[in-house]
Amino acid sequence: MANVEETVLTYWAACESRDWARMGALLADDVVYHLPQSRERIRGRDAYLQFNREYPGRWRFSVTRVTGAGARVASWITATSDAEELPAVTFFDLDEAGLISVITEFWPEPYEPPPGREHLVERYPAATARSA
Amino acid sequence: MANVEETVLTYWAACESRDWARMGALLADDVVYHLPQSRERIRGRDAYLQFNREYPGRWRFSVTRVTGAGARVASWITATSDAEELPAVTFFDLDEAGLISVITEFWPEPYEPPPGREHLVERYPAATARSA
């Protein structure tokens, strides 16, 4: 596994264990975190660590997929709280020192299939959605 | 750029030009397409090509990001129709012959930020969301 993929696995392990010092060591000083769906942006390591520290609820993170090469990595994880289980997809840009400089994250929500494709599609139960 | 990333760029170019023969040449016979948000699954190249052919509307596809290595690639694209502009994030698994054998795709929709993080977050206008 490429070193850049290891960086992202360490990032999620730090998130899971709420080890903000460990996460901070992976981030560039001027890291930028983007949420394109809500058009939100957080600038800087301190603000981003504070955002994670203050985020409401106790979330667990399990990694389904990490793939990347060079300075770019993508991950697909499942975030689980007492109330919810949500997939998240994240794109990481690494700088020349191997630190994470840009994080772009999507939180896709469930939806019902539109009509008209039943002849091609099967549906699977929610319980197995994680192992899709 | 790794060869597997080229495969995914060609996939999206074929999608953009509606060149289903070109797309089909990239797919394993038993390719499986997953949409975890709606828990839909399409099995087989023929059914998947038919799904794309029949999909309503005229969509354009522009690639923002492709990253991957080995047998796994992720892409982030923007799909645009007359009515909508939507990001999509897709994970590709390639088989030993370099053909796409599993496609897992997410279509994240816009949402409003939850309250409580205004002290850390700035919002950017919708017009620049694509270049996040």
Side-chain angles (χ1 to χ4, degrees), chain A residues 87-111:
Chain A
V89 178
T90 313
F91 289 85
F92 298 87
D93 292 22
L94 280 70
D95 67 15
E96 290 179 4
L99 298 173
I100 296 167
S101 58
V102 181
I103 303 170
T104 308
E105 194 158 87
F106 297 94
W107 293 88
E109 297 191 31
Y111 60 80

Side-chain angles (χ1 to χ4, degrees), chain A:
Chain A
M1 176 170 287
N3 191 48
V4 292
E5 294 178 349
E6 293 285 0
T7 297
V8 168
L9 287 172
T10 304
Y11 170 94
W12 285 118
C15 218
E16 166 68 14
S17 58
R18 301 181 66 81
D19 186 341
W20 310 124
R22 190 180 186 202
M23 180 187 281
L26 303 170
L27 304 176
D29 282 353
D30 58 352
V31 62
V32 181
Y33 175 70
H34 292 277
L35 290 164
Q37 291 166 277
S38 58
R39 297 179 285 104
E40 291 175 284
R41 187 161 47 205
I42 298 174
R43 294 180 186 276
R45 180 168 48 201
D46 292 346
Y48 183 58
L49 292 175
Q50 185 178 349
F51 171 78
N52 278 282
R53 262 199 324 269
E54 294 181 358
Y55 200 91
R58 175 65 178 104
W59 291 85
R60 312 300 304 259
F61 300 92
S62 68
V63 175
T64 303
R65 176 74 60 96
V66 171
T67 184
R72 294 177 158 186
V73 187
S75 71
W76 163 17
I77 63 114
T78 302
T80 308
S81 73
D82 289 343
E84 289 183 282
E85 179 178 295
L86 296 171
V89 178
T90 313
F91 289 85
F92 298 87
D93 292 22
L94 280 70
D95 67 15
E96 290 179 4
L99 298 173
I100 296 167
S101 58
V102 181
I103 303 170
T104 308
E105 194 158 87
F106 297 94
W107 293 88
E109 297 191 31
Y111 60 80
E112 285 300 302
R117 59 206 206 188
E118 300 82 356
H119 57 302
L120 298 170
V121 167
E122 59 187 79
R123 291 195 81 190
Y124 48 92
T128 65
R130 291 178 71 171
S131 55

